[in-house]
Amino acid sequence: MKASKLPAWLHKADLDVLPLAKASTIPASWYVNAEVHEFEMRQLFARSWQLVGEASSLRSPGDFRVEDTAGGPVIALRDKSGELRAFHNVCRHRAGPVAAGSGNCRVLRCRYHGWVYRLDGSLHTAPEIGDVEDFEPGDFGLVPLEIIEESGMLFVAAGAEATIGSLAPENVFARIRERIHPFDPGQLGFYRRDSYDISCNWKVYVDNYLEGYHLPQVHPELNKILSYQDYKTEVFDGYSLQYSDIAQPTDAYSPGQAFYYFIFPNIMLNILPGRMQTNVVLPLGHDRCRVVFDYYYEDIISEAARTKIAEDISFGDLVQKQDIDICEQVQKGLACGVYERGRLSVKREHGVHHFQNMLRDAYSRGA
Ligand code: FES
Ligand SMILES: [Fe+2]
């Protein structure tokens, strides 16, 4: 990156990657500045893999679903030949949505003026377009995205060259599957989706996710279940893992291990015996984000399983509200002008350091 090209808010020294013991956190301005948010939307989220949701939602030809991803509005579908496809959900006429919600369809009809697209994204008809000069319908197909199915989930990205760190997503998931074997996320059933709107920058939520340091203070109930002393963090190219034994199993938490995966920049997989939650952190503005939870379980049918699921979700909701409360207070602390940057615990904040270094790298490449 040429220094002359740095945006005014981005100081070269803040991009330096130092060992954890010497490192400072990223500066407060990166959490509170609307220009940084705009920069991240363009340079980070528009280029990264985004989790759309459960793959079982697109079983049959014609099945589609629309999602707001951090990279923009997306439609994912299974075309007539059974192939998965994804497009920006943006009509080439005047940017209307070509679909909403989910369902099964034969064509995509824009909800604004009714232009019709085939399931391969090509424009079929532009009603009443009349004698527009130099209008080639072939030039007005929907803008495609890459889409893959991985471990029972759908992921999209703009551009075949998108990676997670320097790895293709299938390589990241191969490593994760190997690590958590015999647990197999692809065998789980999708149960439901919840979402939480939070008054903090998306990075505050991610930083908070990436350390167990706050467990004793913020989550006394969860801290009784997990093994704080043995809580470990491992970092990899493009992703990280925190794990702990479940020291005190409960009705909702069976004996075994808890694995908390973070996939840069905004995907989390929370894996416990018999269940997985995925979290996607959607940046909504410099001081707002939405966290979307999808719940998957080995058994979503039996009555005993349903009781356990209800306990799991209600306990998860308690933990989430504790995290929301602390994150919203941190955002206020970052925004009030007295805090510039802090230092990190060598013992407990390895994952935060790793995330912030990936961010520094992404900013460097994007600037
Ligand atoms: S914006 Fe889609 S038909 Fe007009
Ligand atoms: Fe937490």
Side-chain angles (χ1 to χ4, degrees), residues 152-283:
M153 296 168 277
L154 299 169
F155 296 84
V156 295
E161 75 287 355
T163 55
I164 296 171
S166 62
L167 299 170
E170 54 268 32
N171 293 336
V172 170
F173 278 90
R175 291 171 189 206
I176 292 175
R177 278 200 307 273
E178 192 181 353
R179 180 73 173 80
I180 60 179
H181 181 80
F183 186 88
D184 179 1
Q187 297 302 311
L188 305 175
F190 174 73
Y191 185 69
R192 79 170 202 216
R193 170 171 287 188
D194 287 341
S195 65
Y196 298 87
D197 283 11
I198 312 178
S199 298
C200 72
N201 182 273
W202 69 279
K203 299 187 290 297
V204 171
Y205 190 87
V206 172
D207 288 340
N208 176 69
Y209 178 86
L210 287 171
E211 41 89 358
Y213 195 16
H214 69 274
L215 273 174
Q217 300 273 119
V218 176
H219 307 299
E221 301 85 356
L222 179 60
N223 194 40
K224 282 193 194 126
I225 297 170
L226 298 179
S227 177
Y228 182 74
Q229 289 315 323
D230 300 322
Y231 195 95
K232 293 196 178 59
T233 302
E234 293 175 10
V235 303
F236 307 94
D237 184 8
Y239 69 105
S240 63
L241 166 65
Q242 299 167 85
Y243 61 99
S244 162
D245 284 335
I246 298 172
Q248 298 286 332
T250 64
D251 287 347
Y253 284 50
S254 308
Q257 279 196 311
F259 298 98
Y260 301 105
Y261 276 101
F262 169 68
I263 300 173
F264 187 77
N266 66 334
I267 301 169
M268 296 144 182
L269 311 176
N270 307 323
I271 296 168
L272 273 79
R275 68 94 150 149
M276 175 175 74
Q277 282 171 4
T278 64
N279 307 153
V280 176
V281 189
L282 298 174

Side-chain angles (χ1 to χ4, degrees), residues 1 24 38-39 65 79 97 113 122 125 176 193 227 236 256 267 275 285 289 320-321 325 347 352-353:
M1 180 180 45
S24 290
E38 295 303 321
F39 175 82
R65 63 184 291 166
D79 72 13
H113 314 95
S122 59
T125 39
I176 292 175
R193 170 171 287 188
S227 177
F236 307 94
I267 301 169
R275 68 94 150 149
C289 65
Q320 175 65 358
K321 285 181 173 145
D325 181 52
K347 188 170 177 198
V352 179
H353 181 237

Side-chain angles (χ1 to χ4, degrees), residues 90-98 109-117 127:
V90 180
C91 179
R92 295 293 304 279
H93 173 220
R94 279 179 38 224
V98 295
R109 188 181 308 276
C110 178
R111 295 163 66 81
Y112 202 176
H113 314 95
W115 283 26
V116 176
Y117 297 86

